[in-house]
Every structure is written in C-alpha cells, then in structure tokens.
Amino acid sequence: MLNEHYIKVKNFFLLTFLVIIWGIHWPLAKFSLNYSSPLLFSGLRLFIGGLILLIIAIPRYKMLRFKETWPIYFVSAFFNIILFYGLQTVGLNYLPAGLFTSIVYLQPVLMGIFSWIWLGESMHFLKFAGLILGFAGVGVICLGGLAGHISIIGVLLALCTAVSWAFGTVFMKRTAQKVDGIWLTTLHIIIGGLFLLALGTGTESWSSISWNIQFTLSLLFISIFVIAFGWLAFFTLVSSGEASKVSTYTFLIPVISILVSSFFLHEAVTINLFVGMIIVVLSIVLVNIKPKEKTSVSSA
C-alpha cells in the first residue's frame, strides 16, 4: 500500500515536471530558430541531451545487450526522434509556436486508439469521450490562433509530427520489457541526433548558427531539461502506467506553450485559451475515471 502511494506521488511529480518543461520547450525552440537553421539545431540539442544521458547509462552497461536489441533502438529513434523532432523544428517556421503545439496534441487521441488496438488497454465510453473532449479542447485553443494566414504546410507538418510521436510511444510501451529504459532513452536520442546532424550538415550551413549567449543558454536548457530529463520522465511514466492516460495529461502542454508564447514571443491570447483549458481539464477527469465493475449475482 505504501509502495503504491509512493509510485502515485512520484508519477504526479514526473507528470508535473514533464508538462511544464515540454510546454516551455515549444516557444523556446521557436525563439532559438532565430539563431540557427532547423536541422542543425535539432541535431545539436538531441546529441547534447543524449551525451548527458550517456553519463547516467554507462554504469548500466551490462543491461545494454546491443547485439540483441539494436533494432528497437533504431525504430524508436526513427519515430520518436528523427521524425518527431525533424518535422516539428521545420514546421515551427510555418506556424506560431502555440498554434503548432495545439495541432501536435492530436497525439493523445491517437495514443488512446493505438493503445487500445495494439497494447490491449481498456477503452470504455468515458475514456473515449475524454480523449475526444481533450482534442476538442485543444481545437478550441487552436481556433484562437486562426486569425490571419495559416500555412497548410505547417498544419500538415504538425499532423505528421503527432502521428510519428503516437506510433513511437506505442512502440516504446510494447518493447519496454525487452530493453533497459535508460539505455533506450539514451540511444534513441543519440542515434536520432547524429542522423539530424548529418542531414543538417549536408543541407544547411554551420556558419548560419549565431553562437550568442541567448542561443547558447536556450540550447543548453533544452538539451538538459527537455531532451535528457524530459524523455527520461516520459519513458518512466509510459512504462509504469497506461500509455493513453499519460498522454492525456499532455493535453495541458499546449496551454502552457501558448501562455509562455504570449509572454515571451508576444503571440496573441484569446478567450479560446481559457475555454479550451476548462475542456482539457474535464477530459483528463473523464479519462481517469474507472468504470464500476459489474457484479454478477449468482443464484443458489
């Protein structure tokens, strides 16, 4: 009982950290793109974050088993890192950070469906309604940013980002028992970071990066807290609970992203944000309600 309470408290703090730090990430990433080309920036933050995790992973070298498990690292890197970060970093050039984030958070709905189909997680009416309601809340928030020109390319990149992340999260959950969590988190980030660095080196110019204090601090903050510690927290949460429930809490990330974007990037905030936030909170409540089990009455 005490152990169960400890796990709940730990997961609560991990979720709180994750939602806040990933909410800050989107506007901070958009700000950083003023000083760097997108692919090189993606590769740098991932590679630095991966090296930080490598320091934690090396003492667990006996749990690596790379010859047996290398396909898992590469598949996870493809969906969770290469596609997710590559598409989002390019896409942020086409849409406001808050709006782009809102569209990406179709992911929890996709996660609920994919987890039901491929992970065998329960899908009752309240949970399904909560997932749909959560996306509706994000949609209401998104509508607040529809004033002016909206890039179709940006919208498509945001949707593709959501799909790749949903597939990647399901894959992480399915393979969680086959690999060490810290090694998976470390290697898929390093593999993805090296790929994006190589791609950026071939298509972009290193001289385009402005190594000023603002960019350097932003790069280090994202690498340490968003990439290294953020992904470690995400994998821990997905491994210990229902993937769809964990993803539902991430509906709060666009709310934080828009608030931070409005403060630092002067992106507009409307009444839609507050209405959408209420809907998102209701969706989280619905997803986490456990339906009463039907009791069977046996006849004597």
Side-chain angles (χ1 to χ4, degrees), residues 264-298:
F264 288 105
L265 303 180
H266 308 293
E267 294 180 1
V269 175
T270 67
I271 190 65
N272 297 65
L273 172 63
F274 300 99
V275 175
M277 189 162 30
I278 292 171
I279 296 174
V280 164
V281 171
L282 287 174
S283 78
I284 293 172
V285 172
L286 285 176
V287 168
N288 285 277
I289 291 177
K290 292 183 179 179
K292 293 181 180 179
E293 295 181 4
K294 295 181 180 180
T295 55
S296 57
V297 180
S298 57

Side-chain angles (χ1 to χ4, degrees), residues 32-291:
S32 301
L33 289 173
N34 292 318
Y35 306 104
S36 174
S37 50
L39 293 177
L40 287 175
F41 172 60
S42 276
L44 278 170
R45 59 181 169 167
L46 289 163
F47 186 64
I48 295 171
L51 290 180
I52 293 168
L53 285 171
L54 190 60
I55 297 171
I56 302 172
I58 284 176
R60 305 162 64 91
Y61 69 93
K62 291 182 179 179
M63 305 178 74
L64 175 58
R65 298 182 296 113
F66 189 78
K67 288 183 179 180
E68 306 165 40
T69 57
W70 68 265
I72 296 175
Y73 301 126
F74 279 88
V75 173
S76 183
F78 178 71
F79 285 109
N80 285 310
I81 305 299
I82 295 170
L83 287 183
F84 180 59
Y85 282 99
L87 292 171
Q88 72 171 244
T89 309
V90 174
L92 281 169
N93 286 301
Y94 292 91
L95 290 177
L99 179 56
F100 189 89
T101 313
S102 298
I103 299 171
V104 168
Y105 282 88
L106 169 66
Q107 189 263 4
V109 178
L110 296 174
M111 266 303 306
I113 296 170
F114 294 167
S115 298
W116 173 47
I117 295 172
W118 289 313
L119 301 180
E121 293 188 359
S122 62
M123 180 60 73
H124 49 81
F125 175 76
L126 288 178
K127 186 174 182 178
F128 183 76
L131 289 169
I132 298 301
L133 192 63
F135 183 60
V138 172
V140 169
I141 294 170
C142 177
L143 288 174
L146 290 181
H149 174 68
I150 294 299
S151 166
I152 298 300
I153 294 176
V155 172
L156 289 175
L157 286 170
L159 289 172
C160 289
T161 302
V163 172
S164 68
W165 187 18
F167 271 121
T169 305
V170 168
F171 181 78
M172 286 177 74
K173 178 70 175 179
R174 281 181 66 95
T175 56
Q177 304 303 317
K178 298 178 181 179
V179 294
D180 177 64
I182 291 178
W183 272 113
L184 174 61
T185 308
T186 301
L187 287 186
H188 83 172
I189 288 174
I190 290 178
I191 292 167
L194 286 173
F195 179 88
L196 290 172
L197 273 179
L199 188 61
T201 300
T203 58
E204 299 172 349
S205 172
W206 281 90
S207 61
S208 66
I209 301 177
S210 177
W211 292 97
N212 54 45
I213 188 67
Q214 295 97 325
F215 175 74
T216 304
L217 289 176
S218 176
L219 176 64
L220 289 175
F221 181 88
I222 292 174
S223 299
I224 296 168
F225 295 102
V226 176
I227 303 298
F229 297 147
W231 270 102
L232 200 55
F234 185 71
F235 181 85
T236 302
L237 289 165
V238 169
S239 300
S240 63
E242 287 193 9
S244 55
K245 284 189 177 180
V246 172
S247 293
T248 305
Y249 281 94
T250 61
F251 276 133
L252 291 169
I253 292 175
V255 177
I256 295 173
S257 175
I258 290 176
L259 288 173
V260 175
S261 296
S262 67
F263 188 78
F264 288 105
L265 303 180
H266 308 293
E267 294 180 1
V269 175
T270 67
I271 190 65
N272 297 65
L273 172 63
F274 300 99
V275 175
M277 189 162 30
I278 292 171
I279 296 174
V280 164
V281 171
L282 287 174
S283 78
I284 293 172
V285 172
L286 285 176
V287 168
N288 285 277
I289 291 177
K290 292 183 179 179

Side-chain angles (χ1 to χ4, degrees), residues 6-58:
Y6 167 76
I7 292 173
K8 286 183 178 179
V9 172
K10 183 189 75 171
N11 286 349
F12 170 78
F13 281 107
L14 285 175
L15 270 171
T16 303
F17 168 79
L18 189 67
V19 167
I20 292 173
I21 212 72
W22 279 9
I24 294 171
H25 159 247
W26 294 90
L28 198 57
K30 187 171 179 65
F31 168 78
S32 301
L33 289 173
N34 292 318
Y35 306 104
S36 174
S37 50
L39 293 177
L40 287 175
F41 172 60
S42 276
L44 278 170
R45 59 181 169 167
L46 289 163
F47 186 64
I48 295 171
L51 290 180
I52 293 168
L53 285 171
L54 190 60
I55 297 171
I56 302 172
I58 284 176

